[in-house]
Amino acid sequence: MRNEWFYEQEPPSRFVIQEHLRQALWRMGLGMAWVEVEQEKPPYRAVIYWYDRRWTLEWEPARYARLTLPEELPDVVRVMELMLGFKPLARYRQEGRLVWEWWRRRAEREARWQELTQQGELEELERLYPALAAAG
């Protein structure tokens, strides 16, 4: 399933971005999710409401997505992984919230991992996407 909200540049329209993301979430099983776009130019930023839960999503098309959750929400993380089509790079806590990051391109993924390991304010940093094997 192709998700235009992540893989294609969106028009600078909050309504269009909200609809693409909302429909993708509903198709993947998060019915009743509501989306409010806060930034309609890359990096996009949206607040998503699902029942009594609220989380944020930031992304650049076909580059990365960053999901910030108030608590463990395995269903939401699973849906994001299925929509994007690849595993998250990392999971960590920042300012009391859980953050999951997906990076599509290998070189950017490795560079971002190095940045994350240098940030002292991150707690419980965990690498979820395996490192590239060294050429030998």
Side-chain angles (χ1 to χ4, degrees), residues 56-74:
T56 60
L57 179 64
E58 176 185 304
W59 73 98
E60 280 193 36
R63 185 166 180 231
Y64 78 87
R66 181 177 297 121
L67 178 67
T68 304
L69 303 166
E71 62 192 87
E72 289 283 354
L73 296 173

Side-chain angles (χ1 to χ4, degrees), residues 47-134:
V47 176
I48 302 157
Y49 301 89
W50 183 53
Y51 295 107
D52 62 342
R53 306 293 200 286
R54 177 185 186 272
W55 69 87
T56 60
L57 179 64
E58 176 185 304
W59 73 98
E60 280 193 36
R63 185 166 180 231
Y64 78 87
R66 181 177 297 121
L67 178 67
T68 304
L69 303 166
E71 62 192 87
E72 289 283 354
L73 296 173
D75 291 340
V76 172
V77 174
R78 182 183 52 80
V79 162
M80 285 295 300
E81 188 172 327
L82 290 171
M83 284 195 309
L84 295 172
F86 55 96
K87 293 184 178 294
L89 166 65
R91 173 191 180 273
Y92 54 89
R93 284 191 183 275
Q94 187 174 31
E95 299 177 3
R97 297 178 62 84
L98 291 169
V99 180
W100 297 76
E101 290 194 16
W102 286 261
W103 287 78
R104 187 165 173 260
R105 296 180 185 101
R106 280 186 243 169
E108 290 182 359
R109 191 180 308 140
E110 295 306 313
R112 179 60 179 157
W113 176 252
Q114 292 306 314
E115 288 175 9
L116 289 171
T117 61
Q118 301 301 315
Q119 293 183 16
E121 73 274 5
L122 303 182
E123 300 172 8
E124 302 173 28
L125 176 61
E126 179 182 3
R127 184 175 184 129
L128 303 170
Y129 201 99
L132 293 173

